[in-house]
Amino acid sequence: MTCESVRYPAYPLVVHDPYFSIWSRTDRLSDSFTCHWTGTGQTIAGLLRIDGKAFCFLSNIPGAPKMNQTSVRVLPTRTIYTFEEAGVRFTLTFLTPALLHKLHVLSRPITYLCFDAESIDGKTHDLAVYFDADGAIAVNEPTDKITWSRFRHRDLDLICAASAEQKILSRAGDNLRIDWGYLYLGVPLKFNPATALESNRVTRNEFISAGTLPQTDNLNMPQAARSEWLCMATVIPMKAEPGRMNSTYAILAYNDVLAIEYLNRKLPGYWTMETSSFAELLSIAVREKEALADECVRYDEDLLKDAERLGGKQYADLCAGAYRQAIGAHKLVADLDGTPLFFSKENFSNGCIATVDVTYPSAPLFLLCQPALVKGMLIPILEYASTRKWKFPFAPHDLGTYPLANSQIYGGGEQSEQNQMPVEECGNMLILAAALAKFHHDTEFIRKYWSKLTQWAEYLMEKGYDPENQLCTDDFAGHLAHNTNLSIKAIIALGGYALMAEQIGESGLAKRYAATALDYAGRWVKDADDGECFRLAFDQKGSWSQKYNLIWDRLLGLGLFPASVAEKELAHYRKVQNKYGLPLDSRKTYTKIDWILWSATLTGNEDDFKALVAPVHRWMTETVSRVPMTDWYETIEDGRQVGFQARSVVGGLFIRLLADDAVREKWIKKRNI
């Protein structure tokens, strides 16, 4: 492949939300079958017939030779594969217009499959593109029954597969796929497509041998998805001509009808706020395709140019791989009054929905590009904490298990304080609310929830400086008393509360909390000092940890900790990092990718940043774990995944962009809610 190709652990193809999320786990697209982020097979497949001979380019289809893949490139809104075979250059682009400044476009569950061809031998070639999508994409397990159908549509040849039972929002869990809604494959009528609903063995074999599709659809329904591996298939005729790029496309879309249950009300995707029906949405998708494609090109170039300028090419590569994953681990829905709510899922962690300490690390991307989504993550927690169901003086951890956001289930849930994260979650909520106030001057939001924010600030005033034996966001490491990094979070949260108080005219509170935060920070520098670094816990001599929470002191402009704290920490980090990055702390060799990028940004020094990013980039291109980017992995040996994958926390990799005042202001101006 070409030098522009960067090897990723997995490649995003069709990535929208925790259910509609299809990936490739091999560098060559035809070396494996595609799958859901969980690893369960969800196959989309492609063949290209060139002058009567079929070649495979997407998924490992037997019976046809594989096309020569020359490059693959992952960009924020696109994944682009290029192939060259038999005098033809063929480009496949998975285009998902995940434009954060346009919520109505972002929320559309539609990916464009763009096919571009040109001759590279000076001759004209007759082509036919074959594409199919597995009916199993519409169910949790391939043993579940599906049904299928055709629809008349003014713009598209439109076919559909769906679960036969339609168990809408009937269960929750982690390693689950959707089992309701409707999967659509549509091809614009202007391309003169053929379509079929039949076993993939039948459709693929007929295309390979004759270049056609069956003339009769399979009518044996409902049936288990794996019974005959029913697929939705299309064939689109094309030509490859010298000096000219010919283009066609298809649309893969998913209508989940209802997406999230929040405090016992069932909510649809946010796209329904501006569109009356899914049929209309598909027409809009056709009408706006070219304009959106052009905008996505500009958006990708602009975002990655900023990332490369501030952090280097390796940093831009990391951001490109993180962008759609961070968004796709959420679901954007409309509340009853139209408020956008943005629910995360803890993928391969515990399946929790709206987890506060997942919102916190993911926030830099959304603070940079779309503050409405940060509010969309905070509002459900604030509203829930204001109900009688939540009886504790600290912030909740979560709202349940995806896709049911009705009550906390982590630790003691609503019943006890056992295994809760009181300092962690109070700190997270206050810091993110302060970021909305600092960067976006959203005093209306702050005023609305002031009493709850005040309650959590009071809790941290009492409990935050020297945390008791409790969990923090790195809960896999177990309980820890006197956690110095958690103490930093509490101190900065108090400073953030003072910032908010000042903005809404509460000058007395602002002075009181600012003074307390400054006093705590001064004490911290002395109590945590361990010579060449600062300790993991106040009482553990000879220990160390990443102080990633410290980044918010600089981002919020609080000035609580002297610059020497970050400088001393970075000097130590550069000494102790391993082949694949900086360990989380002195106890283990594993790390968290989000926290490394936060720690790398602490001093604002370019050399420090690149020194910590380089081994992370090496990990990304060498790890043996071929899964959508894990955020918890080993920094030694083969960089193996320890746990988690496809999580939203990789939005935290955009922290370097958020930390630059000029870049932040530039992207804030792009938003169009």
Side-chain angles (χ1 to χ4, degrees):
M1 291 187 289
T2 66
C3 60
E4 72 176 6
S5 298
V6 176
R7 185 267 204 182
Y8 287 89
Y11 299 83
L13 305 180
V14 181
V15 179
H16 289 273
D17 59 51
Y19 285 142
F20 195 27
S21 183
I22 302 172
W23 298 70
S24 172
R25 295 184 293 177
T26 49
D27 301 327
R28 189 161 68 161
L29 190 56
S30 59
D31 277 352
S32 65
F33 288 99
T34 60
C35 62
H36 187 256
W37 70 260
T38 58
T40 295
Q42 290 191 343
T43 301
I44 53 177
L47 297 157
L48 181 67
R49 196 172 171 91
I50 306 174
D51 299 327
K53 183 176 181 180
F55 299 88
C56 171
F57 63 83
L58 171 56
S59 286
N60 188 9
I61 303 174
K66 297 177 180 180
M67 292 190 74
N68 176 37
Q69 180 179 311
T70 58
S71 69
V72 56
R73 191 176 183 199
V74 175
L75 300 161
T77 67
R78 297 169 292 155
T79 300
I80 306 170
Y81 291 89
T82 305
F83 308 85
E84 292 183 2
E85 196 71 56
V88 173
R89 179 176 294 120
F90 178 72
T91 303
L92 166 63
T93 302
F94 294 90
L95 169 64
T96 302
L99 300 169
L100 285 169
H101 59 292
K102 293 185 173 181
L103 293 187
H104 61 290
V105 175
L106 174 71
S107 66
R108 295 175 188 172
I110 292 172
T111 286
Y112 299 92
L113 312 161
C114 305
F115 311 111
D116 300 293
E118 61 180 326
S119 172
I120 54 174
D121 65 358
K123 301 176 183 178
T124 298
H125 301 273
D126 291 322
L127 309 179
V129 179
Y130 169 95
F131 174 84
D132 74 47
D134 191 353
I137 297 171
V139 289
N140 178 45
E141 297 288 352
T143 52
D144 295 339
K145 290 184 177 181
I146 59 171
T147 186
W148 51 92
S149 51
R150 290 179 172 274
F151 295 93
R152 257 189 344 139
H153 191 280
R154 70 185 181 199
D155 300 304
L156 300 166
D157 189 336
L158 188 64
I159 50 181
C160 174
S163 169
E165 298 188 26
Q166 293 295 309
K167 299 178 180 178
I168 299 177
L169 295 170
S170 65
R171 58 178 171 172
D174 192 1
N175 192 3
L176 292 177
R177 278 103 352 234
I178 200 165
D179 55 3
W180 75 88
Y182 304 89
L183 174 69
Y184 292 96
L185 174 63
V187 187
L189 296 170
K190 65 181 180 181
F191 296 137
N192 299 311
T195 54
L197 292 157
E198 183 51 280
S199 162
N200 63 32
R201 175 181 54 82
V202 173
T203 57
R204 295 169 188 172
N205 287 344
E206 181 160 332
F207 179 79
I208 290 170
S209 62
T212 58
L213 290 175
Q215 296 300 302
T216 302
D217 290 335
N218 188 323
L219 301 181
N220 182 25
M221 60 178 175
Q223 62 173 258
R226 73 176 185 184
S227 177
E228 300 181 66
W229 292 113
L230 187 286
C231 75
M232 305 183 300
T234 186
V235 170
I236 310 171
M238 293 185 71
K239 283 189 179 296
E241 300 174 289
R244 178 181 176 183
M245 182 72 75
N246 290 323
S247 303
T248 63
Y249 70 91
I251 285 173
L252 198 64
Y254 207 105
N255 181 12
D256 55 15
V257 185
L258 294 169
I260 295 290
E261 182 175 302
Y262 164 55
L263 298 183
N264 303 116
R265 50 191 190 260
K266 295 177 172 61
L267 305 178
Y270 188 78
W271 64 266
T272 59
M273 288 298 298
E274 296 194 4
T275 311
S276 62
S277 69
F278 207 77
E280 181 189 357
L281 183 67
L282 292 171
S283 289
I284 293 171
V286 172
R287 187 166 64 246
E288 296 183 356
K289 187 267 178 181
E290 296 305 325
L292 286 174
D294 290 343
E295 184 169 5
C296 285
V297 170
R298 295 191 300 270
Y299 188 91
D300 291 349
E301 290 176 351
D302 203 12
L303 188 60
L304 295 185
K305 185 184 295 183
D306 283 343
E308 184 168 354
R309 180 173 57 83
L310 292 180
K313 176 62 166 58
Q314 292 184 333
Y315 177 57
D317 291 342
L318 288 166
C319 289
Y323 184 88
R324 265 174 290 163
Q325 176 175 318
I327 296 169
H330 295 87
K331 185 65 178 183
L332 177 59
V333 298
D335 204 352
L336 299 181
D337 62 356
T339 300
L341 301 179
F342 199 45
F343 290 94
S344 65
K345 178 179 182 292
E346 283 206 60
N347 291 337
F348 273 14
S349 176
N350 61 7
C352 276
I353 188 170
T355 301
V356 175
D357 57 287
V358 167
T359 294
Y360 176 67
S362 75
L365 171 60
F366 307 113
L367 284 168
L368 178 72
C369 298
Q370 184 49 276
L373 295 179
V374 180
K375 289 196 289 185
M377 291 186 275
L378 300 186
I379 288 171
I381 294 293
L382 287 159
E383 292 288 339
Y384 169 67
S386 300
T387 68
R388 293 180 180 179
K389 298 180 72 174
W390 188 251
K391 58 188 177 183
F392 304 112
F394 50 81
H397 168 274
D398 64 86
L399 289 182
T401 303
Y402 193 92
L404 307 181
N406 295 318
S407 60
Q408 177 172 308
I409 53 93
Y410 187 86
E414 297 176 344
Q415 305 306 313
S416 76
E417 297 189 26
Q418 182 179 5
N419 294 329
Q420 301 271 16
M421 300 184 188
V423 173
E424 173 72 35
E425 310 303 16
C426 287
N428 293 336
M429 293 295 292
L430 287 168
I431 288 172
L432 293 181
L436 287 171
K438 173 73 174 181
F439 303 146
H440 305 288
H441 312 290
D442 199 336
T443 55
E444 181 181 353
F445 175 79
I446 301 303
R447 288 181 188 278
K448 182 175 181 180
Y449 296 107
W450 187 243
S451 63
K452 188 55 61 177
L453 296 172
T454 298
Q455 181 186 37
W456 295 339
E458 290 172 348
Y459 184 88
L460 291 183
M461 178 83 86
E462 179 183 354
K463 301 281 191 177
Y465 176 74
D466 188 9
E468 298 168 344
N469 191 38
Q470 61 189 255
L471 296 169
C472 70
T473 184
D474 306 313
D475 54 353
F476 48 82
H479 288 69
L480 179 66
H482 318 300
N483 184 334
T484 60
N485 188 44
L486 190 57
S487 176
I488 289 175
K489 178 172 288 183
I491 294 167
I492 292 173
L494 293 174
Y497 178 80
L499 182 157
M500 291 185 283
E502 185 66 36
Q503 282 202 5
I504 66 170
E506 295 283 353
S507 57
L509 277 176
K511 290 179 181 178
R512 177 186 169 208
Y513 275 84
T516 299
L518 189 62
D519 175 61
Y520 283 177
R523 288 171 52 191
W524 188 97
V525 173
K526 296 177 182 178
D527 293 347
D529 191 20
D530 201 64
E532 68 172 15
C533 64
F534 293 92
R535 298 173 184 172
L536 163 68
F538 287 122
D539 61 342
Q540 292 188 18
K541 293 182 179 180
S543 65
W544 62 269
S545 65
Q546 289 190 44
K547 306 303 189 299
Y548 52 82
N549 288 317
L550 185 61
I551 187 60
W552 291 101
D553 189 32
R554 186 157 70 87
L555 287 178
L556 297 177
L558 301 176
L560 299 173
F561 291 85
S564 59
V565 173
E567 291 165 0
K568 184 157 76 169
E569 283 290 290
L570 258 295
H572 181 71
Y573 298 162
R574 295 179 66 165
K575 291 179 183 178
V576 297
Q577 67 177 343
N578 293 325
K579 177 182 179 182
Y580 291 126
L582 175 66
L584 184 63
D585 58 49
S586 53
R587 293 173 291 181
K588 300 283 186 178
T589 55
Y590 58 57
T591 194
K592 291 280 274 83
I593 191 172
D594 42 349
W595 301 147
I596 291 181
L597 269 291
W598 288 30
S599 294
T601 311
L602 288 178
T603 62
N605 179 280
E606 181 179 352
D607 190 54
D608 283 340
F609 184 79
K610 290 182 176 179
L612 265 63
V613 165
V616 176
H617 188 274
R618 182 180 184 182
W619 165 80
M620 184 181 73
T621 62
E622 295 180 4
T623 177
V624 297
S625 299
R626 303 307 301 267
V627 300
M629 196 183 296
T630 177
D631 53 289
W632 182 22
Y633 67 88
E634 276 291 347
T635 61
I636 58 173
E637 297 176 350
D638 55 12
R640 189 175 302 274
Q641 170 191 26
V642 178
F644 312 152
Q645 66 194 50
R647 297 210 307 167
S648 64
V649 301
V650 295
L653 273 58
F654 290 82
I655 193 82
R656 179 65 186 89
L657 293 170
L658 185 67
D660 186 276
D661 293 344
V663 168
R664 186 176 65 246
E665 288 301 315
K666 166 189 167 181
W667 284 91
I668 287 172
K669 290 177 182 178
K670 283 181 179 287
R671 70 183 188 270
N672 177 25
I673 300 172

